[in-house]
Amino acid sequence: MEMYYLGISVVPQFPQNPDEVPGPGFARGFDFNGVNIGETVKLNIFSNQNNELTYGVNLRIVISNNEGKIAPYAIDVEASGLFVISESVPKEKHEEMAIVNGCAILYSAIREQVMTITSRCYGGLLILPTVNFLDKIKKEKNQDMLPEQSHEVKKKRSSKSTP
């Protein structure tokens, strides 16, 4: 597995009125209920000479604070990773497994990076909420939705060799 950040933006959100600026560490213990957290998932499929499938998964997490409850930070982080699915997994489960496990791994890295950055900011440490990507996929299937409709999964096939 390889993993890279494609972009990181974490910007503290302060009230317009300087008299209303909270004290240091105001983000600690923040309740995310009501915050609009956007996610975008892209899936790329690469076939190599060994007939293995390597999946490129991109995950972007955005808290723009344009609507809903305002979070202590505006966040826009995108990460990408390469994942190889085991031959023991049935082929019809490959894409779902790549999305679920890839997103879980990338989200935990994004979550950790946001914690690291915010721990050194005036607002203090912000811990993004946990997410269960398997539950998201199951919910979509129960609603008879295609992945593209709910979390913008984009698939691209390529015959490039992978390292």
Side-chain angles (χ1 to χ4, degrees):
M1 189 212 101
E2 295 178 36
M3 185 253 159
Y4 306 96
Y5 289 102
L6 303 177
I8 301 172
S9 174
V10 178
V11 180
Q13 302 295 283
F14 297 107
Q16 296 274 342
N17 183 346
D19 295 333
E20 296 176 5
V21 174
F26 62 87
R28 293 183 193 276
F30 179 75
D31 179 4
F32 280 90
N33 284 331
V35 174
N36 186 10
I37 302 175
E39 72 180 45
T40 304
V41 176
K42 296 177 187 171
L43 178 67
N44 296 304
I45 305 167
F46 303 101
S47 302
N48 66 23
Q49 296 89 354
N50 299 330
N51 210 16
E52 293 178 350
L53 286 179
T54 300
Y55 293 84
V57 179
N58 285 39
L59 176 63
R60 183 177 181 196
I61 300 297
V62 177
I63 299 175
S64 63
N65 285 329
N66 291 335
E67 48 185 60
K69 182 178 175 182
I70 304 298
Y73 297 92
I75 295 170
D76 188 345
V77 182
E78 185 172 5
S80 181
L82 294 175
F83 305 91
V84 177
I85 303 300
S86 169
E87 292 179 12
S88 64
V89 176
K91 282 192 182 261
E92 63 273 6
K93 294 279 190 181
H94 282 194
E95 289 183 16
E96 179 180 316
M97 181 169 261
I99 291 171
V100 170
N101 290 342
C103 285
I105 291 167
L106 294 174
Y107 185 77
S108 67
I110 289 171
R111 193 170 183 245
E112 187 273 333
Q113 191 65 254
V114 169
M115 287 174 19
T116 299
I117 292 169
T118 60
S119 71
R120 305 296 276 166
C121 290
Y122 178 81
L125 177 73
L126 181 71
I127 302 173
L128 294 174
T130 58
V131 176
N132 185 329
F133 288 94
L134 182 58
D135 285 348
K136 286 179 171 280
I137 296 290
K138 286 181 181 177
K139 184 178 178 182
E140 290 166 6
K141 285 183 177 181
N142 288 340
Q143 294 174 351
D144 293 324
M145 295 174 63
L146 295 174
E148 290 86 357
Q149 292 173 316
S150 65
H151 60 263
E152 300 178 35
V153 170
K154 296 181 180 162
K155 300 174 190 174
K156 181 171 90 178
R157 293 195 179 268
S158 174
S159 59
K160 295 179 186 175
S161 296
T162 57

